[in-house]
Amino acid sequence: MEFVRKHILFVEGGLPTPQMDAGSLANLELITLIQSQGHRVSYLFTGHHPMGARHALIDLGCKLIDGVGFTRAQQQTLFKEQGFDAAILSRPGPALQWIDALKALAIPTVYFGHDLHHVRLEREYALHLETAPQPKLLQSCLVHKSIERHLWALADVVVYPTSWECDYVMTHCGRTHALPMPIYDGEAMAHLQPQIASIVAQVQTNDGKPYPLLFVGGSHHGPNRDGLLWFVRDVAPLLTLPMELRVVGQWDCEAMQQLNDAAHGAWRGDQRLSFCGSLTKEELLHQYATASLVIAPLRYGAGLKRKVVEALLFERPLLTTPMGVEGIELAPSQLEQVCSPLDPKAFAKAVEAHLQLPPSVHQARSQDIARQIARQFSKTQRLASLAQIFAMLRLY
């Protein structure tokens, strides 16, 4: 069959912000994957963000389209002029704004949800139901549920990172049009591991210094803010070993103050909290390499967690929760090695157990898990999912 180059429209709420948003990184990696197969991608953004990175898209060869404030007539004129073969709609807001105009012209559509937004909100609401019920959060959850189900019904194909999310969609829609796709470029992550290993080889043993713990993620994402506060307030005071908690990512002043207040008076003198801010790739790799343990103490969320996948592919010692490993294909014995129950005493005990393991044990475990994860996020798997999406859209 002769290859026919397709022109794909990618619709998102703003320009990518890869330095603070895992979803933006997933978008860029998906666009790169599509273009690696010879197709052309135009990126349409529906809002402005001061941190938006035009260069990330220009470097990929994407045409940028400013779609802010378009009327329905302007949307349809654009589609007719550009001749798109299909459209990928990223996240609920942008999808809701543009899907009707695409359907009116019979342009095949993919809804790329990243995670089940309303499920994440449901879990957050349930977490705080007994101590601090949040009626506004429940209302937001119901609105998101309505929007997402509306989009599932309209889209030709629905894509989420995990099988359970796709099963959830198809159960509620009564259609078999949802497809799991490993959205992260696992091979690109794995290629960085030797750089980390070379730094690890130069790092001296602890020698009585505080153990460096690493958390990666910004305060703009609710699960990060909640999970880290839980660790600082409820888990860290139970630790008996000296430690320094290093927080990488953008944290607003209010969130930092909240964490500092939680640590003040509850932490011992040999426990420290450090905010590193946003880092370059090289600086982030150094933090991973010099950390005794990467933590992801997430209490709610939905879908894949990039920080967890990244740490595992970097072959770093990791401790997370059942929520953190959701959607990651690990054997039960491997899950036990990286996962702790969502209980302060259990999590603190697991942290100290990890910190006292010999490096050789950590290395053997990490390499075994990384091999398993690499298969799930291989380019072969991602290309197979992309081919299936194109087939479902009848682009092949």
Side-chain angles (χ1 to χ4, degrees), residues 19-333:
Q19 71 276 33
M20 61 183 295
D21 176 19
S24 289
L25 285 168
N27 287 343
L28 292 172
E29 289 170 350
L30 177 55
I31 290 169
T32 300
L33 188 71
I34 294 169
Q35 294 190 149
S36 75
Q37 300 306 292
H39 304 298
R40 182 160 58 106
V41 178
S42 291
Y43 186 102
L44 186 151
F45 54 98
T46 66
H48 295 288
H49 193 291
M51 299 293 288
R54 289 176 178 268
H55 66 84
L57 293 163
I58 293 171
D59 290 348
L60 291 178
C62 284
K63 177 181 179 180
L64 302 186
I65 303 172
D66 187 338
V68 177
F70 269 39
T71 64
R72 177 67 60 80
Q74 289 173 316
Q75 290 176 341
Q76 293 191 345
T77 298
L78 171 71
F79 297 155
K80 291 174 182 176
E81 290 175 348
Q82 296 294 324
F84 299 115
D85 295 295
I88 299 174
L89 307 174
S90 176
R91 297 188 256 219
L96 195 62
Q97 294 175 41
W98 288 79
I99 195 166
D100 287 338
L102 289 161
K103 299 299 291 184
L105 294 178
I107 297 174
T109 57
V110 176
Y111 174 61
F112 180 33
H114 292 268
D115 71 357
L116 292 169
H117 288 61
H118 78 268
V119 171
R120 169 159 41 91
L121 294 172
E122 281 178 350
R123 290 172 171 177
E124 182 182 6
Y125 178 76
L127 182 65
H128 300 291
L129 183 59
E130 292 186 5
T131 56
Q134 300 178 46
K136 290 185 178 179
L137 182 60
L138 178 60
Q139 184 61 35
S140 178
C141 169
L142 295 174
V143 170
H144 274 82
K145 179 183 289 188
S146 176
I147 291 172
E148 287 181 306
R149 290 187 177 183
H150 175 69
L151 293 169
W152 300 341
L154 290 179
D156 296 298
V157 178
V158 175
V159 173
Y160 280 100
T162 67
S163 296
W164 78 263
E165 290 171 300
C166 293
D167 290 342
Y168 184 99
V169 171
M170 292 186 288
T171 297
H172 287 84
C173 285
R175 296 168 57 197
T176 57
H177 69 315
L179 179 71
M181 181 179 190
I183 59 175
Y184 300 138
D185 186 348
E187 292 186 11
M189 293 182 192
H191 285 158
L192 296 172
Q193 193 280 329
Q195 296 182 45
I196 295 174
S198 67
I199 300 172
V200 171
Q202 302 171 36
V203 175
Q204 300 298 316
T205 56
N206 232 62
D207 294 331
K209 297 178 182 177
Y211 289 93
L213 306 185
L214 178 65
F215 178 88
V216 178
S219 62
H220 64 284
H221 188 51
N224 289 341
R225 192 165 179 157
D226 171 84
L228 195 56
L229 178 61
W230 175 74
F231 180 85
V232 169
R233 183 191 61 214
D234 297 342
V235 178
L238 303 177
L239 298 174
T240 61
L241 296 173
M243 67 89 182
E244 178 187 12
L245 176 57
R246 301 172 181 173
V247 181
V248 170
Q250 292 190 341
W251 283 70
D252 60 58
C253 293
E254 180 184 350
M256 286 193 290
Q257 188 62 52
Q258 190 178 31
L259 291 173
N260 281 319
D261 289 346
H264 182 71
W267 285 25
R268 300 187 315 275
D270 59 359
Q271 295 178 312
R272 295 200 301 270
L273 176 61
S274 302
F275 294 96
C276 304
S278 294
L279 303 180
T280 64
K281 181 185 290 185
E282 290 72 21
E283 291 169 336
L284 178 60
L285 294 181
H286 188 270
Q287 287 291 345
Y288 270 115
T290 56
S292 298
L293 182 66
V294 181
I295 61 168
L298 302 172
R299 300 201 298 168
Y300 72 92
L304 285 173
K305 319 300 184 297
R306 188 182 183 96
K307 62 171 66 63
V308 174
V309 175
E310 189 172 67
L312 294 176
L313 283 171
F314 286 169
E315 298 182 14
R316 302 308 297 138
L318 169 79
L319 183 64
T320 186
T321 63
M323 194 62 65
V325 293
E326 189 173 55
I328 298 177
E329 298 170 2
L330 293 175
S333 61

